[in-house]
Amino acid sequence: MAFGQFVGAIRFRAPFPSRRKESATSKDWRFGRDMNISIGELSRRTGVKVPTIRYYEGAGLMPAPTRTEGKQRRYLETEISRLNFIRHARELGFEIQAIRELLALSTEPDRSCAEVDGIARRHMAEVERRIGQLVALRGELGSVRGRGVNSRTALAGIGVAIGPCG
């Protein structure tokens, strides 16, 4: 998926203000839709574990959910898309702060694309730095292979501690 498509996937219909308390059988006051998605169902639909969803709420990536009288969380259909975006961004290695910035940009379509480009450039620089580290590690491990007794010394030189060979 191209980055433009990736960012386009976060375009939501409206910002996510904190919600007023309503029963789980009521309609969402912003969209007139039922709020019948439990946290377990949200987890199943997105592949994000329940504790991670709670973490994202605490980190401000997900809006505070409406709760039933029994204190169960209830979500909107639009929050499935939002959580899928967050999951995908994390899989691509984006930090929480970068995701927060992208989500904020998605609620303000009139803002400049330069901000999104800046986030993408920072992330690309980090990816390239990691690739460089991995290439160096591959070279070191390749040189260790086949050394036999000297492998321990070589591995210790790149910060890998191993016990006695048995």
Side-chain angles (χ1 to χ4, degrees):
M1 170 184 284
F3 188 76
Q5 292 170 323
F6 172 71
V7 172
I10 65 170
R11 299 281 182 210
F12 298 103
R13 284 200 243 171
F16 291 91
S18 59
R19 298 191 205 146
R20 61 184 184 180
K21 300 243 183 222
E22 297 184 22
S23 73
T25 58
S26 68
K27 299 277 186 185
D28 179 85
W29 56 276
R30 291 169 293 161
F31 300 114
R33 287 190 265 180
D34 287 328
M35 300 181 295
N36 286 331
I37 302 173
S38 68
I39 194 167
E41 180 64 20
L42 183 63
S43 174
R44 278 187 291 283
R45 289 188 188 186
T46 61
V48 178
K49 293 182 179 183
V50 169
T52 305
I53 295 171
R54 291 184 189 128
Y55 170 76
Y56 291 155
E57 289 171 10
L61 297 179
M62 290 290 292
T66 299
R67 294 189 182 250
T68 66
E69 290 179 15
K71 304 293 184 202
Q72 294 178 344
R73 291 171 165 87
R74 293 294 177 201
Y75 298 89
L76 299 169
E77 290 285 331
T78 56
E79 289 160 345
I80 294 171
S81 298
R82 185 180 182 99
L83 188 55
N84 277 328
F85 170 78
I86 294 166
R87 178 186 45 80
H88 187 64
R90 292 296 291 152
E91 287 170 351
L92 293 174
F94 280 89
E95 299 292 330
I96 296 292
Q97 183 57 37
I99 297 169
R100 188 178 291 116
E101 291 172 25
L102 289 169
L103 289 169
L105 289 168
S106 75
T107 62
E108 299 176 31
D110 295 335
R111 285 176 64 179
S112 169
C113 290
E115 293 176 70
V116 173
D117 290 341
I119 294 167
R121 276 194 212 99
R122 285 193 316 262
H123 188 62
M124 180 62 81
E126 178 60 22
V127 167
E128 289 173 357
R129 184 188 67 77
R130 284 191 226 157
I131 289 171
Q133 289 176 328
L134 290 171
V135 167
L137 178 61
R138 181 178 61 194
E140 289 289 332
L141 291 173
S143 69
V144 168
R145 224 175 18 178
R147 285 191 189 173
V149 175
N150 292 333
S151 294
R152 278 180 206 280
T153 305
L155 286 172
I158 60 171
V160 177
I162 58 171
C165 295

